[in-house]
Amino acid sequence: MGDRKPLLAVLNGEARVVPPIWLMRQAGRYLPEYQELRAKAGSFLDTCYNPQTAARITLQPIERFGFDAAILFSDILVVPDALGQKVWFESGSGPRLVPVESDSDIAALAESFDIEKLSPVFETIDRVKGELPKSVAFIGFCGAPWTVASYMIAGRGTPDQAPARLFAFRRPEAFARLIDILADASIVYLIRQIDAGVETLQIFDSWAGVLPPLEFERWVVAPLKKIIGAVKTARPGVPIIAFVRGGATHLPGLAERLGADALGLDTAIDPVWAVKEIPAGTALQGNLDPLALLAGGAALDREIDAILHCFAGRPHIFNLGHGVLPETPLEHVAQLIGRVRRTGN
Ligand code: CP3
């Protein structure tokens, strides 16, 4: 059945002459229709928890550009919210959380976890699935424990997530407990997303690249392996993409170690190296520089062509190496899709 959807075919190991394309943060601020709905919907979290609005936002990039996949409109920080941590978003400065500090703060999270708080997300999925064109795959997601924990400890985004790194060195047992709580909550959350109707999952470990090797094993590899194993046991057949940003030299063999079907590649990864070093059974996703998309013109064409050329013959999903930047002109996104599909600019 999946074969009618190019994205699912590639995740199943098929190389396509024209790779399926979607973009991280394809639903977001570069779209005027997003800005319009966001302005009416109240806070960012209220928007995430309004199934009617969140479903419309999920569908907006499909309607405008005809991407091969829709990604659920939500955020990775709804999981700390469901764990009872106070989370809010300030325009301009990004996410804010009341930082987790003590052992009892951490213990309280497990006690207060309430998956039903995320029922609006499942209702969003239910609404979207009936409205997707037949060839468009539906992607659910969560943040990886390390990345989510890094915001829970710092209480905000930081340049290098140093507060969580320091916490993990100073109090590894408490940190391990937090990672465990997040892994368990993520398993429940992802299974509920599948049951509501997503067809594939992406796990975002956006801050994996700041960890030294032993910490990478403990806080990135182990929990991702646990989550993917549990989800695959409970719901076999749903492909999983691991976006381990900054995974660098860890990437060869990583998909096998994690049990993932595909790896998302960030902008720094050389596609020639990736194709050679990452075993052929792993589908690869990426990895256009979001700044090339912002720049447009001949530089964008050149970067697109290089990526298409390097991944030719390999199961490949065209994407960015990180999310769409808010200032990105709409015409550049149209240029990208036209060039990837060879339907002109
Ligand atoms: O990709 C999509 O279109 C689906 C929705 C989605 C959002 N966030 C919507 C969003 C997804 C998959 C995410 C993932 C996410 N959220 C990550 C991992 C991927 C990455 O970018 O590294 C992280 C680290 C977060 C946490 C987060 N949420 C930050 C740091 C910010 C502020 C920075 C920013 O880009 O605004 C957000 C806010 C956010 N999440 C917005 C959107 C559309 C902007 C909110 C607004 O409208 O003001």
Side-chain angles (χ1 to χ4, degrees), residues 22-29 34-35 38 44 47-48 57 61 71-77 89-95 141-143 147 151 157 202 204-207 243 245 322-324 326:
W22 70 280
L23 304 179
M24 293 187 277
R25 290 286 173 95
Q26 65 186 18
R29 284 166 297 185
Y34 169 83
Q35 303 274 21
R38 270 286 283 115
F44 178 70
T47 314
C48 293
I57 293 175
I71 180 160
L72 167 69
F73 177 76
S74 180
D75 196 82
I76 64 168
L77 298 178
F89 287 78
E90 281 175 6
S91 48
S93 69
F141 73 91
C142 72
T147 288
Y151 288 95
Q202 176 157 316
F204 289 85
D205 218 342
S206 303
W207 287 102
F243 177 57
R245 190 164 75 100
H322 202 188
V324 181

Side-chain angles (χ1 to χ4, degrees), residues 54-136:
R56 292 255 26 90
I57 293 175
T58 303
L59 291 161
Q60 282 175 343
I62 310 306
E63 286 157 7
R64 183 184 274 270
F65 293 116
F67 288 111
D68 292 292
I71 180 160
L72 167 69
F73 177 76
S74 180
D75 196 82
I76 64 168
L77 298 178
V78 299
V79 169
D81 190 43
L83 286 164
Q85 189 174 13
K86 193 166 164 35
V87 181
W88 70 104
F89 287 78
E90 281 175 6
S91 48
S93 69
R96 298 294 308 273
L97 306 90
V98 173
V100 169
E101 279 161 359
S102 64
D103 289 359
S104 62
D105 287 347
I106 293 174
L109 296 168
E111 297 288 310
S112 53
F113 178 52
D114 178 12
I115 190 67
E116 297 316 325
K117 190 152 188 198
L118 302 182
S119 53
V121 177
F122 310 129
E123 197 188 322
T124 301
I125 294 172
D126 187 56
R127 281 169 181 258
V128 168
K129 74 179 178 202
E131 288 199 52
L132 283 176
K134 280 198 179 52
S135 66
V136 178

Side-chain angles (χ1 to χ4, degrees), residues 7-22:
L7 184 103
L8 299 181
V10 169
L11 289 172
N12 203 26
E14 200 180 299
R16 291 270 172 142
V17 176
V18 174
I21 176 169
W22 70 280

Side-chain angles (χ1 to χ4, degrees), residues 295-315:
L300 175 57
D301 283 346
R302 191 188 63 226
E303 295 299 311
I304 296 166
D305 291 352
I307 288 171
L308 289 172
H309 177 74
C310 293
F311 289 111
R314 174 87 185 217

Side-chain angles (χ1 to χ4, degrees), residues 160-193:
D160 55 4
Q161 303 302 66
R165 291 157 65 194
L166 199 55
F167 188 104
F169 278 126
R170 284 184 171 149
R171 298 168 57 202
E173 270 119 55
F175 195 69
R177 179 80 190 108
L178 176 57
I179 291 287
D180 248 11
I181 291 168
L182 284 167
D184 291 342
S186 303
I187 291 165
V188 174
Y189 182 43
L190 292 177
I191 291 172
R192 288 284 300 264
Q193 289 187 40

